[in-house]
Amino acid sequence: MSLSADIEQPDDPGARGPSKRAVEIVVSLILIGLAAAVLYDSYGRGAGWNGGPESGFFPARVGWIFLAGSLFLLVQAFREPPAIFATWSQLLMVAKVFGPLALFVVLVEPLGIYVAAAIFTAVFMPIVGGARWHTILLTSVLVPLVCFFVFEIEFLVPLPKGPLEAMFGY
């Protein structure tokens, strides 16, 4: 039995989820907004040629190319046949990965990378893998310790540290 047989396929006529067209339209509009911001900033800095390129000259050219590509994507999105982008169960699987990862990124600055990695592992393993508590505890403690030894002691690569490492003199 294959793993993909357990997951709803977007091509399944009974599958439910956001449409591919709607997702592409939203992404295109976001990209158009970013292109507009680049153009606004470029022309604010000076995008002309005054005895040579002004500071916004090249960013403005890139912004126009970016805008053209984004408008092309928007037109293509309206021409797409109706289809499901992803099923809700597939998006839930993405959220199960994204949630702990976002928590990790937020915690790196105040707690350091090693404590944040321990918390990430302790949260991620039961959500995604459904591991037993003793496996989670061992992995959450041992992996950051091994990483600390390898990076900080053996390779002398300084990574972001927090109050726990400061308490031990690192």
Side-chain angles (χ1 to χ4, degrees):
M1 185 165 121
S2 72
L3 177 63
S4 63
D6 297 337
I7 301 172
E8 294 176 57
Q9 296 301 315
D11 299 332
D12 178 14
R16 299 270 186 244
S19 73
K20 184 177 177 187
R21 177 181 293 164
V23 171
E24 288 184 357
I25 289 170
V26 167
V27 170
S28 297
L29 292 173
I30 290 170
L31 293 176
I32 288 169
L34 289 173
V38 167
L39 289 170
Y40 177 79
D41 186 62
S42 298
Y43 282 95
R45 295 173 187 273
W49 192 279
N50 189 11
E54 293 178 342
S55 62
F57 180 81
F58 292 109
R61 299 317 175 260
V62 171
W64 282 113
I65 294 168
F66 194 68
L67 179 63
S70 302
L71 289 170
F72 176 78
L73 290 175
L74 182 63
V75 170
Q76 287 298 105
F78 282 108
R79 298 176 64 194
E80 283 285 323
I84 300 282
F85 173 72
T87 64
W88 293 115
S89 62
Q90 290 170 334
L91 292 174
L92 179 62
M93 289 177 17
V94 171
K96 284 182 179 181
V97 173
F98 182 76
L101 187 59
L103 177 68
F104 171 73
V105 170
V106 168
L107 292 179
V108 167
E109 180 67 29
L111 299 180
I113 197 163
Y114 302 110
V115 174
I119 293 170
F120 169 75
T121 306
V123 171
F124 187 78
M125 284 181 72
I127 289 175
V128 176
R132 292 188 217 122
W133 69 269
H134 61 276
T135 306
I136 295 169
L137 185 63
L138 280 171
T139 306
S140 298
V141 172
L142 291 178
V143 168
L145 284 175
V146 168
C147 288
F148 180 83
F149 175 76
V150 169
F151 288 108
E152 301 288 337
I153 297 173
E154 293 298 317
F155 293 152
L156 301 174
V157 176
L159 294 175
K161 291 178 225 30
L164 182 66
E165 295 87 356
M167 189 171 73
F168 289 111
Y170 284 97

